[in-house]
Amino acid sequence: MASPVQQSPQPGGGKRKGKAQYVQAKRARRCDGGGPRQLEPGLQGILITCNMNERKCVEEAYSLLNEYGDDMYGPEKFADKDQQPSGSEAEDDDVEAALKKEVGDIKASTEMRLRRFQSVESGANNVVFIRTLGIEPEKLVHHILQDIYKTKKKKTRVILRMLPISGTCKAFLEDMKKYAETFLEPWFKAPNKGTFQIVYKSRNNSHMNREEVIKELAGIVGSLNSENKVDLTNPQYTVVVEIIKAVCCLSVVKDYTLFRKYNLQEVVKSAKDLSQLNTKQAALTGNGKEAKLESGDKSNQKDAAEGKNNQQVVPEDSEELGQTEPISETHVVSEGATKPELASQVTEGSESHGNDLS
């Protein structure tokens, strides 16, 4: 009876050990592609928010980024294993040279396995971080949003916002100040200048103060060029600050208000609403022209019956009225067609300033 009792804990222990080995193997497979597994200082990439489905979000992100990445930078190229660097035969005889060669081959093979886009752990729920390699995230994301804004085609279901991250550093005030002094130079250092706003968001972090961060970054921008001015309505540049745990993500983007805080879903809606509004305004303008022409024709007929003298003068006046008034009306309507977009931008900016700016 002793032997069965001794054997009973072994299967349980074996299952637990197998699970631990499975977890380790799973983590090892994540590292096979090379590069970091989680968000850390020194990375570039794209920060994506989603709605409760991170796995589907990653799939959509890969599909969208590869589509536009191939369009801007060409298809992704992979090196063959046979092309890995190798040393000369003479070096193989030397143990030290052979060891160096092996280390070099390992590094080279790791670099070859690095993909253009690679998902890493972001450290927050409903947030996905895609590390990028060999591309400029801000240009790629702006190109995607600009195309969606023009074509009015919805290309994602789960992805909400897509923010380019041009650099990351430690999420401590002194580290952020030191990093921002050089990071912000391409946009704000003299002779470069522009209007700007600062958008701040923190996740899973309690030691950073929003007011202090915005104040320090605004001071750095002002020190780079005194002509840099704050514009909370329609700025030329938006400094995006995203803090997740102990990592600070920074970027400088354009058209932040026009592209609805870089929200892919809202960009499609705003573009469709604007096109529908322009169609309605065009229909109203056409009806106005027809009404003016009809009234002009009736007045011409009445004036022709009154006398020959009026018959020579009135047609010129009626033609001027029939042509000039609809043109002026069309001009007013066209201005009205653009005003809703500007008004929505100002409203969008005021809301974002209330939530994200001080």
mmCIF file with all atom_site columns, all heavy atoms in Angstrom, residues 179-200:
data_model
loop_
_atom_site.group_PDB
_atom_site.id
_atom_site.type_symbol
_atom_site.label_atom_id
_atom_site.label_alt_id
_atom_site.label_comp_id
_atom_site.label_asym_id
_atom_site.label_entity_id
_atom_site.label_seq_id
_atom_site.pdbx_PDB_ins_code
_atom_site.Cartn_x
_atom_site.Cartn_y
_atom_site.Cartn_z
_atom_site.occupancy
_atom_site.B_iso_or_equiv
_atom_site.pdbx_formal_charge
_atom_site.auth_seq_id
_atom_site.auth_comp_id
_atom_site.auth_asym_id
_atom_site.auth_atom_id
_atom_site.pdbx_PDB_model_num
ATOM 1   N N   . TYR A 1 179 ? 16.097 63.966 -21.968 1.00 0.00 ? 179 TYR A N   1
ATOM 2   C CA  . TYR A 1 179 ? 15.816 63.351 -23.261 1.00 0.00 ? 179 TYR A CA  1
ATOM 3   C C   . TYR A 1 179 ? 15.097 64.330 -24.193 1.00 0.00 ? 179 TYR A C   1
ATOM 4   O O   . TYR A 1 179 ? 15.391 64.395 -25.396 1.00 0.00 ? 179 TYR A O   1
ATOM 5   C CB  . TYR A 1 179 ? 14.962 62.099 -23.053 1.00 0.00 ? 179 TYR A CB  1
ATOM 6   C CG  . TYR A 1 179 ? 14.672 61.336 -24.320 1.00 0.00 ? 179 TYR A CG  1
ATOM 7   C CD1 . TYR A 1 179 ? 15.641 60.526 -24.906 1.00 0.00 ? 179 TYR A CD1 1
ATOM 8   C CD2 . TYR A 1 179 ? 13.431 61.433 -24.935 1.00 0.00 ? 179 TYR A CD2 1
ATOM 9   C CE1 . TYR A 1 179 ? 15.381 59.824 -26.068 1.00 0.00 ? 179 TYR A CE1 1
ATOM 10  C CE2 . TYR A 1 179 ? 13.160 60.730 -26.096 1.00 0.00 ? 179 TYR A CE2 1
ATOM 11  C CZ  . TYR A 1 179 ? 14.135 59.931 -26.651 1.00 0.00 ? 179 TYR A CZ  1
ATOM 12  O OH  . TYR A 1 179 ? 13.865 59.240 -27.807 1.00 0.00 ? 179 TYR A OH  1
ATOM 13  N N   . ALA A 1 180 ? 14.156 65.113 -23.660 1.00 0.00 ? 180 ALA A N   1
ATOM 14  C CA  . ALA A 1 180 ? 13.360 66.020 -24.490 1.00 0.00 ? 180 ALA A CA  1
ATOM 15  C C   . ALA A 1 180 ? 14.195 67.161 -25.057 1.00 0.00 ? 180 ALA A C   1
ATOM 16  O O   . ALA A 1 180 ? 13.857 67.711 -26.113 1.00 0.00 ? 180 ALA A O   1
ATOM 17  C CB  . ALA A 1 180 ? 12.188 66.576 -23.683 1.00 0.00 ? 180 ALA A CB  1
ATOM 18  N N   . GLU A 1 181 ? 15.260 67.549 -24.375 1.00 0.00 ? 181 GLU A N   1
ATOM 19  C CA  . GLU A 1 181 ? 16.081 68.659 -24.861 1.00 0.00 ? 181 GLU A CA  1
ATOM 20  C C   . GLU A 1 181 ? 16.661 68.383 -26.238 1.00 0.00 ? 181 GLU A C   1
ATOM 21  O O   . GLU A 1 181 ? 16.771 69.287 -27.068 1.00 0.00 ? 181 GLU A O   1
ATOM 22  C CB  . GLU A 1 181 ? 17.200 68.939 -23.849 1.00 0.00 ? 181 GLU A CB  1
ATOM 23  C CG  . GLU A 1 181 ? 16.713 69.581 -22.559 1.00 0.00 ? 181 GLU A CG  1
ATOM 24  C CD  . GLU A 1 181 ? 17.832 69.761 -21.555 1.00 0.00 ? 181 GLU A CD  1
ATOM 25  O OE1 . GLU A 1 181 ? 18.961 69.303 -21.848 1.00 0.00 ? 181 GLU A OE1 1
ATOM 26  O OE2 . GLU A 1 181 ? 17.586 70.337 -20.476 1.00 0.00 ? 181 GLU A OE2 1
ATOM 27  N N   . THR A 1 182 ? 17.027 67.160 -26.506 1.00 0.00 ? 182 THR A N   1
ATOM 28  C CA  . THR A 1 182 ? 17.545 66.797 -27.828 1.00 0.00 ? 182 THR A CA  1
ATOM 29  C C   . THR A 1 182 ? 16.449 66.233 -28.731 1.00 0.00 ? 182 THR A C   1
ATOM 30  O O   . THR A 1 182 ? 16.507 66.394 -29.949 1.00 0.00 ? 182 THR A O   1
ATOM 31  C CB  . THR A 1 182 ? 18.669 65.761 -27.695 1.00 0.00 ? 182 THR A CB  1
ATOM 32  O OG1 . THR A 1 182 ? 18.179 64.615 -26.964 1.00 0.00 ? 182 THR A OG1 1
ATOM 33  C CG2 . THR A 1 182 ? 19.849 66.358 -26.949 1.00 0.00 ? 182 THR A CG2 1
ATOM 34  N N   . PHE A 1 183 ? 15.455 65.602 -28.148 1.00 0.00 ? 183 PHE A N   1
ATOM 35  C CA  . PHE A 1 183 ? 14.401 64.981 -28.942 1.00 0.00 ? 183 PHE A CA  1
ATOM 36  C C   . PHE A 1 183 ? 13.571 66.014 -29.696 1.00 0.00 ? 183 PHE A C   1
ATOM 37  O O   . PHE A 1 183 ? 13.171 65.799 -30.853 1.00 0.00 ? 183 PHE A O   1
ATOM 38  C CB  . PHE A 1 183 ? 13.498 64.143 -28.033 1.00 0.00 ? 183 PHE A CB  1
ATOM 39  C CG  . PHE A 1 183 ? 12.302 63.559 -28.732 1.00 0.00 ? 183 PHE A CG  1
ATOM 40  C CD1 . PHE A 1 183 ? 12.426 62.429 -29.522 1.00 0.00 ? 183 PHE A CD1 1
ATOM 41  C CD2 . PHE A 1 183 ? 11.050 64.153 -28.614 1.00 0.00 ? 183 PHE A CD2 1
ATOM 42  C CE1 . PHE A 1 183 ? 11.330 61.902 -30.176 1.00 0.00 ? 183 PHE A CE1 1
ATOM 43  C CE2 . PHE A 1 183 ? 9.962  63.629 -29.266 1.00 0.00 ? 183 PHE A CE2 1
ATOM 44  C CZ  . PHE A 1 183 ? 10.093 62.497 -30.046 1.00 0.00 ? 183 PHE A CZ  1
ATOM 45  N N   . LEU A 1 184 ? 13.284 67.149 -29.071 1.00 0.00 ? 184 LEU A N   1
ATOM 46  C CA  . LEU A 1 184 ? 12.396 68.161 -29.655 1.00 0.00 ? 184 LEU A CA  1
ATOM 47  C C   . LEU A 1 184 ? 13.103 69.120 -30.609 1.00 0.00 ? 184 LEU A C   1
ATOM 48  O O   . LEU A 1 184 ? 12.454 69.978 -31.220 1.00 0.00 ? 184 LEU A O   1
ATOM 49  C CB  . LEU A 1 184 ? 11.723 68.968 -28.539 1.00 0.00 ? 184 LEU A CB  1
ATOM 50  C CG  . LEU A 1 184 ? 10.820 68.171 -27.590 1.00 0.00 ? 184 LEU A CG  1
ATOM 51  C CD1 . LEU A 1 184 ? 10.348 69.048 -26.449 1.00 0.00 ? 184 LEU A CD1 1
ATOM 52  C CD2 . LEU A 1 184 ? 9.622  67.599 -28.349 1.00 0.00 ? 184 LEU A CD2 1
ATOM 53  N N   . GLU A 1 185 ? 14.420 69.029 -30.739 1.00 0.00 ? 185 GLU A N   1
ATOM 54  C CA  . GLU A 1 185 ? 15.171 69.971 -31.574 1.00 0.00 ? 185 GLU A CA  1
ATOM 55  C C   . GLU A 1 185 ? 14.747 69.976 -33.042 1.00 0.00 ? 185 GLU A C   1
ATOM 56  O O   . GLU A 1 185 ? 14.628 71.048 -33.639 1.00 0.00 ? 185 GLU A O   1
ATOM 57  C CB  . GLU A 1 185 ? 16.666 69.686 -31.449 1.00 0.00 ? 185 GLU A CB  1
ATOM 58  C CG  . GLU A 1 185 ? 17.264 70.100 -30.115 1.00 0.00 ? 185 GLU A CG  1
ATOM 59  C CD  . GLU A 1 185 ? 18.763 69.855 -30.067 1.00 0.00 ? 185 GLU A CD  1
ATOM 60  O OE1 . GLU A 1 185 ? 19.287 69.279 -31.055 1.00 0.00 ? 185 GLU A OE1 1
ATOM 61  O OE2 . GLU A 1 185 ? 19.397 70.244 -29.072 1.00 0.00 ? 185 GLU A OE2 1
ATOM 62  N N   . PRO A 1 186 ? 14.509 68.838 -33.687 1.00 0.00 ? 186 PRO A N   1
ATOM 63  C CA  . PRO A 1 186 ? 14.170 68.878 -35.117 1.00 0.00 ? 186 PRO A CA  1
ATOM 64  C C   . PRO A 1 186 ? 12.925 69.702 -35.447 1.00 0.00 ? 186 PRO A C   1
ATOM 65  O O   . PRO A 1 186 ? 12.791 70.185 -36.574 1.00 0.00 ? 186 PRO A O   1
ATOM 66  C CB  . PRO A 1 186 ? 13.968 67.398 -35.474 1.00 0.00 ? 186 PRO A CB  1
ATOM 67  C CG  . PRO A 1 186 ? 14.755 66.642 -34.463 1.00 0.00 ? 186 PRO A CG  1
ATOM 68  C CD  . PRO A 1 186 ? 14.652 67.449 -33.205 1.00 0.00 ? 186 PRO A CD  1
ATOM 69  N N   . TRP A 1 187 ? 12.020 69.866 -34.493 1.00 0.00 ? 187 TRP A N   1
ATOM 70  C CA  . TRP A 1 187 ? 10.788 70.591 -34.765 1.00 0.00 ? 187 TRP A CA  1
ATOM 71  C C   . TRP A 1 187 ? 10.803 72.030 -34.240 1.00 0.00 ? 187 TRP A C   1
ATOM 72  O O   . TRP A 1 187 ? 10.177 72.901 -34.834 1.00 0.00 ? 187 TRP A O   1
ATOM 73  C CB  . TRP A 1 187 ? 9.598  69.858 -34.144 1.00 0.00 ? 187 TRP A CB  1
ATOM 74  C CG  . TRP A 1 187 ? 9.357  68.515 -34.715 1.00 0.00 ? 187 TRP A CG  1
ATOM 75  C CD1 . TRP A 1 187 ? 8.634  68.195 -35.825 1.00 0.00 ? 187 TRP A CD1 1
ATOM 76  C CD2 . TRP A 1 187 ? 9.844  67.276 -34.200 1.00 0.00 ? 187 TRP A CD2 1
ATOM 77  N NE1 . TRP A 1 187 ? 8.634  66.843 -36.044 1.00 0.00 ? 187 TRP A NE1 1
ATOM 78  C CE2 . TRP A 1 187 ? 9.373  66.250 -35.051 1.00 0.00 ? 187 TRP A CE2 1
ATOM 79  C CE3 . TRP A 1 187 ? 10.623 66.915 -33.090 1.00 0.00 ? 187 TRP A CE3 1
ATOM 80  C CZ2 . TRP A 1 187 ? 9.661  64.910 -34.842 1.00 0.00 ? 187 TRP A CZ2 1
ATOM 81  C CZ3 . TRP A 1 187 ? 10.910 65.578 -32.889 1.00 0.00 ? 187 TRP A CZ3 1
ATOM 82  C CH2 . TRP A 1 187 ? 10.440 64.589 -33.752 1.00 0.00 ? 187 TRP A CH2 1
ATOM 83  N N   . PHE A 1 188 ? 11.500 72.271 -33.143 1.00 0.00 ? 188 PHE A N   1
ATOM 84  C CA  . PHE A 1 188 ? 11.343 73.550 -32.457 1.00 0.00 ? 188 PHE A CA  1
ATOM 85  C C   . PHE A 1 188 ? 12.625 74.363 -32.305 1.00 0.00 ? 188 PHE A C   1
ATOM 86  O O   . PHE A 1 188 ? 12.568 75.517 -31.901 1.00 0.00 ? 188 PHE A O   1
ATOM 87  C CB  . PHE A 1 188 ? 10.738 73.321 -31.056 1.00 0.00 ? 188 PHE A CB  1
ATOM 88  C CG  . PHE A 1 188 ? 9.389  72.660 -31.091 1.00 0.00 ? 188 PHE A CG  1
ATOM 89  C CD1 . PHE A 1 188 ? 9.234  71.338 -30.703 1.00 0.00 ? 188 PHE A CD1 1
ATOM 90  C CD2 . PHE A 1 188 ? 8.274  73.357 -31.520 1.00 0.00 ? 188 PHE A CD2 1
ATOM 91  C CE1 . PHE A 1 188 ? 7.990  70.724 -30.730 1.00 0.00 ? 188 PHE A CE1 1
ATOM 92  C CE2 . PHE A 1 188 ? 7.025  72.757 -31.555 1.00 0.00 ? 188 PHE A CE2 1
ATOM 93  C CZ  . PHE A 1 188 ? 6.881  71.440 -31.156 1.00 0.00 ? 188 PHE A CZ  1
ATOM 94  N N   . LYS A 1 189 ? 13.785 73.793 -32.594 1.00 0.00 ? 189 LYS A N   1
ATOM 95  C CA  . LYS A 1 189 ? 15.013 74.560 -32.430 1.00 0.00 ? 189 LYS A CA  1
ATOM 96  C C   . LYS A 1 189 ? 15.200 75.517 -33.591 1.00 0.00 ? 189 LYS A C   1
ATOM 97  O O   . LYS A 1 189 ? 14.958 75.172 -34.749 1.00 0.00 ? 189 LYS A O   1
ATOM 98  C CB  . LYS A 1 189 ? 16.222 73.619 -32.329 1.00 0.00 ? 189 LYS A CB  1
ATOM 99  C CG  . LYS A 1 189 ? 17.524 74.332 -31.999 1.00 0.00 ? 189 LYS A CG  1
ATOM 100 C CD  . LYS A 1 189 ? 18.682 73.353 -31.833 1.00 0.00 ? 189 LYS A CD  1
ATOM 101 C CE  . LYS A 1 189 ? 19.961 74.073 -31.480 1.00 0.00 ? 189 LYS A CE  1
ATOM 102 N NZ  . LYS A 1 189 ? 21.099 73.135 -31.303 1.00 0.00 ? 189 LYS A NZ  1
ATOM 103 N N   . ALA A 1 190 ? 15.618 76.753 -33.280 1.00 0.00 ? 190 ALA A N   1
ATOM 104 C CA  . ALA A 1 190 ? 15.830 77.774 -34.303 1.00 0.00 ? 190 ALA A CA  1
ATOM 105 C C   . ALA A 1 190 ? 16.775 77.238 -35.379 1.00 0.00 ? 190 ALA A C   1
ATOM 106 O O   . ALA A 1 190 ? 17.755 76.550 -35.061 1.00 0.00 ? 190 ALA A O   1
ATOM 107 C CB  . ALA A 1 190 ? 16.382 79.045 -33.670 1.00 0.00 ? 190 ALA A CB  1
ATOM 108 N N   . PRO A 1 191 ? 16.510 77.490 -36.647 1.00 0.00 ? 191 PRO A N   1
ATOM 109 C CA  . PRO A 1 191 ? 15.463 78.382 -37.181 1.00 0.00 ? 191 PRO A CA  1
ATOM 110 C C   . PRO A 1 191 ? 14.083 77.770 -37.283 1.00 0.00 ? 191 PRO A C   1
ATOM 111 O O   . PRO A 1 191 ? 13.149 78.436 -37.735 1.00 0.00 ? 191 PRO A O   1
ATOM 112 C CB  . PRO A 1 191 ? 15.999 78.714 -38.576 1.00 0.00 ? 191 PRO A CB  1
ATOM 113 C CG  . PRO A 1 191 ? 16.732 77.475 -38.984 1.00 0.00 ? 191 PRO A CG  1
ATOM 114 C CD  . PRO A 1 191 ? 17.360 76.948 -37.726 1.00 0.00 ? 191 PRO A CD  1
ATOM 115 N N   . ASN A 1 192 ? 13.907 76.511 -36.912 1.00 0.00 ? 192 ASN A N   1
ATOM 116 C CA  . ASN A 1 192 ? 12.580 75.894 -36.939 1.00 0.00 ? 192 ASN A CA  1
ATOM 117 C C   . ASN A 1 192 ? 11.706 76.476 -35.840 1.00 0.00 ? 192 ASN A C   1
ATOM 118 O O   . ASN A 1 192 ? 12.183 76.770 -34.740 1.00 0.00 ? 192 ASN A O   1
ATOM 119 C CB  . ASN A 1 192 ? 12.693 74.381 -36.759 1.00 0.00 ? 192 ASN A CB  1
ATOM 120 C CG  . ASN A 1 192 ? 13.486 73.717 -37.859 1.00 0.00 ? 192 ASN A CG  1
ATOM 121 O OD1 . ASN A 1 192 ? 13.449 74.150 -39.004 1.00 0.00 ? 192 ASN A OD1 1
ATOM 122 N ND2 . ASN A 1 192 ? 14.238 72.673 -37.515 1.00 0.00 ? 192 ASN A ND2 1
ATOM 123 N N   . LYS A 1 193 ? 10.437 76.620 -36.128 1.00 0.00 ? 193 LYS A N   1
ATOM 124 C CA  . LYS A 1 193 ? 9.503  77.162 -35.145 1.00 0.00 ? 193 LYS A CA  1
ATOM 125 C C   . LYS A 1 193 ? 8.097  76.711 -35.509 1.00 0.00 ? 193 LYS A C   1
ATOM 126 O O   . LYS A 1 193 ? 7.844  76.191 -36.602 1.00 0.00 ? 193 LYS A O   1
ATOM 127 C CB  . LYS A 1 193 ? 9.574  78.688 -35.114 1.00 0.00 ? 193 LYS A CB  1
ATOM 128 C CG  . LYS A 1 193 ? 9.187  79.344 -36.435 1.00 0.00 ? 193 LYS A CG  1
ATOM 129 C CD  . LYS A 1 193 ? 9.267  80.853 -36.339 1.00 0.00 ? 193 LYS A CD  1
ATOM 130 C CE  . LYS A 1 193 ? 8.867  81.485 -37.685 1.00 0.00 ? 193 LYS A CE  1
ATOM 131 N NZ  . LYS A 1 193 ? 8.906  82.969 -37.621 1.00 0.00 ? 193 LYS A NZ  1
ATOM 132 N N   . GLY A 1 194 ? 7.154  76.922 -34.588 1.00 0.00 ? 194 GLY A N   1
ATOM 133 C CA  . GLY A 1 194 ? 5.764  76.561 -34.859 1.00 0.00 ? 194 GLY A CA  1
ATOM 134 C C   . GLY A 1 194 ? 4.915  76.671 -33.615 1.00 0.00 ? 194 GLY A C   1
ATOM 135 O O   . GLY A 1 194 ? 5.422  76.756 -32.487 1.00 0.00 ? 194 GLY A O   1
ATOM 136 N N   . THR A 1 195 ? 3.614  76.670 -33.811 1.00 0.00 ? 195 THR A N   1
ATOM 137 C CA  . THR A 1 195 ? 2.683  76.643 -32.689 1.00 0.00 ? 195 THR A CA  1
ATOM 138 C C   . THR A 1 195 ? 2.519  75.202 -32.216 1.00 0.00 ? 195 THR A C   1
ATOM 139 O O   . THR A 1 195 ? 2.619  74.255 -33.011 1.00 0.00 ? 195 THR A O   1
ATOM 140 C CB  . THR A 1 195 ? 1.323  77.218 -33.103 1.00 0.00 ? 195 THR A CB  1
ATOM 141 O OG1 . THR A 1 195 ? 0.811  76.454 -34.205 1.00 0.00 ? 195 THR A OG1 1
ATOM 142 C CG2 . THR A 1 195 ? 1.470  78.674 -33.523 1.00 0.00 ? 195 THR A CG2 1
ATOM 143 N N   . PHE A 1 196 ? 2.240  75.020 -30.941 1.00 0.00 ? 196 PHE A N   1
ATOM 144 C CA  . PHE A 1 196 ? 2.204  73.668 -30.392 1.00 0.00 ? 196 PHE A CA  1
ATOM 145 C C   . PHE A 1 196 ? 1.238  73.562 -29.226 1.00 0.00 ? 196 PHE A C   1
ATOM 146 O O   . PHE A 1 196 ? 0.822  74.565 -28.640 1.00 0.00 ? 196 PHE A O   1
ATOM 147 C CB  . PHE A 1 196 ? 3.606  73.256 -29.928 1.00 0.00 ? 196 PHE A CB  1
ATOM 148 C CG  . PHE A 1 196 ? 4.088  73.962 -28.684 1.00 0.00 ? 196 PHE A CG  1
ATOM 149 C CD1 . PHE A 1 196 ? 3.957  73.379 -27.422 1.00 0.00 ? 196 PHE A CD1 1
ATOM 150 C CD2 . PHE A 1 196 ? 4.659  75.227 -28.757 1.00 0.00 ? 196 PHE A CD2 1
ATOM 151 C CE1 . PHE A 1 196 ? 4.386  74.022 -26.286 1.00 0.00 ? 196 PHE A CE1 1
ATOM 152 C CE2 . PHE A 1 196 ? 5.103  75.883 -27.632 1.00 0.00 ? 196 PHE A CE2 1
ATOM 153 C CZ  . PHE A 1 196 ? 4.968  75.290 -26.390 1.00 0.00 ? 196 PHE A CZ  1
ATOM 154 N N   . GLN A 1 197 ? 0.894  72.338 -28.924 1.00 0.00 ? 197 GLN A N   1
ATOM 155 C CA  . GLN A 1 197 ? 0.182  71.977 -27.709 1.00 0.00 ? 197 GLN A CA  1
ATOM 156 C C   . GLN A 1 197 ? 0.774  70.679 -27.180 1.00 0.00 ? 197 GLN A C   1
ATOM 157 O O   . GLN A 1 197 ? 1.461  69.959 -27.904 1.00 0.00 ? 197 GLN A O   1
ATOM 158 C CB  . GLN A 1 197 ? -1.323 71.799 -27.966 1.00 0.00 ? 197 GLN A CB  1
ATOM 159 C CG  . GLN A 1 197 ? -1.655 70.614 -28.854 1.00 0.00 ? 197 GLN A CG  1
ATOM 160 C CD  . GLN A 1 197 ? -3.138 70.383 -29.002 1.00 0.00 ? 197 GLN A CD  1
ATOM 161 O OE1 . GLN A 1 197 ? -3.941 70.987 -28.294 1.00 0.00 ? 197 GLN A OE1 1
ATOM 162 N NE2 . GLN A 1 197 ? -3.532 69.506 -29.915 1.00 0.00 ? 197 GLN A NE2 1
ATOM 163 N N   . ILE A 1 198 ? 0.506  70.378 -25.923 1.00 0.00 ? 198 ILE A N   1
ATOM 164 C CA  . ILE A 1 198 ? 1.041  69.176 -25.279 1.00 0.00 ? 198 ILE A CA  1
ATOM 165 C C   . ILE A 1 198 ? -0.124 68.325 -24.785 1.00 0.00 ? 198 ILE A C   1
ATOM 166 O O   . ILE A 1 198 ? -0.991 68.816 -24.061 1.00 0.00 ? 198 ILE A O   1
ATOM 167 C CB  . ILE A 1 198 ? 1.985  69.528 -24.112 1.00 0.00 ? 198 ILE A CB  1
ATOM 168 C CG1 . ILE A 1 198 ? 3.190  70.320 -24.632 1.00 0.00 ? 198 ILE A CG1 1
ATOM 169 C CG2 . ILE A 1 198 ? 2.452  68.264 -23.396 1.00 0.00 ? 198 ILE A CG2 1
ATOM 170 C CD1 . ILE A 1 198 ? 4.124  70.807 -23.543 1.00 0.00 ? 198 ILE A CD1 1
ATOM 171 N N   . VAL A 1 199 ? -0.141 67.065 -25.196 1.00 0.00 ? 199 VAL A N   1
ATOM 172 C CA  . VAL A 1 199 ? -1.177 66.116 -24.791 1.00 0.00 ? 199 VAL A CA  1
ATOM 173 C C   . VAL A 1 199 ? -0.534 65.075 -23.887 1.00 0.00 ? 199 VAL A C   1
ATOM 174 O O   . VAL A 1 199 ? 0.455  64.439 -24.267 1.00 0.00 ? 199 VAL A O   1
ATOM 175 C CB  . VAL A 1 199 ? -1.818 65.445 -26.023 1.00 0.00 ? 199 VAL A CB  1
ATOM 176 C CG1 . VAL A 1 199 ? -2.866 64.438 -25.588 1.00 0.00 ? 199 VAL A CG1 1
ATOM 177 C CG2 . VAL A 1 199 ? -2.436 66.493 -26.934 1.00 0.00 ? 199 VAL A CG2 1
ATOM 178 N N   . TYR A 1 200 ? -1.108 64.888 -22.708 1.00 0.00 ? 200 TYR A N   1
ATOM 179 C CA  . TYR A 1 200 ? -0.507 64.016 -21.693 1.00 0.00 ? 200 TYR A CA  1
ATOM 180 C C   . TYR A 1 200 ? -1.489 62.911 -21.305 1.00 0.00 ? 200 TYR A C   1
ATOM 181 O O   . TYR A 1 200 ? -2.680 63.155 -21.102 1.00 0.00 ? 200 TYR A O   1
ATOM 182 C CB  . TYR A 1 200 ? -0.137 64.838 -20.452 1.00 0.00 ? 200 TYR A CB  1
ATOM 183 C CG  . TYR A 1 200 ? 0.420  64.049 -19.295 1.00 0.00 ? 200 TYR A CG  1
ATOM 184 C CD1 . TYR A 1 200 ? 1.782  63.860 -19.154 1.00 0.00 ? 200 TYR A CD1 1
ATOM 185 C CD2 . TYR A 1 200 ? -0.423 63.483 -18.334 1.00 0.00 ? 200 TYR A CD2 1
ATOM 186 C CE1 . TYR A 1 200 ? 2.304  63.135 -18.088 1.00 0.00 ? 200 TYR A CE1 1
ATOM 187 C CE2 . TYR A 1 200 ? 0.093  62.772 -17.272 1.00 0.00 ? 200 TYR A CE2 1
ATOM 188 C CZ  . TYR A 1 200 ? 1.454  62.595 -17.156 1.00 0.00 ? 200 TYR A CZ  1
ATOM 189 O OH  . TYR A 1 200 ? 1.972  61.875 -16.102 1.00 0.00 ? 200 TYR A OH  1
#
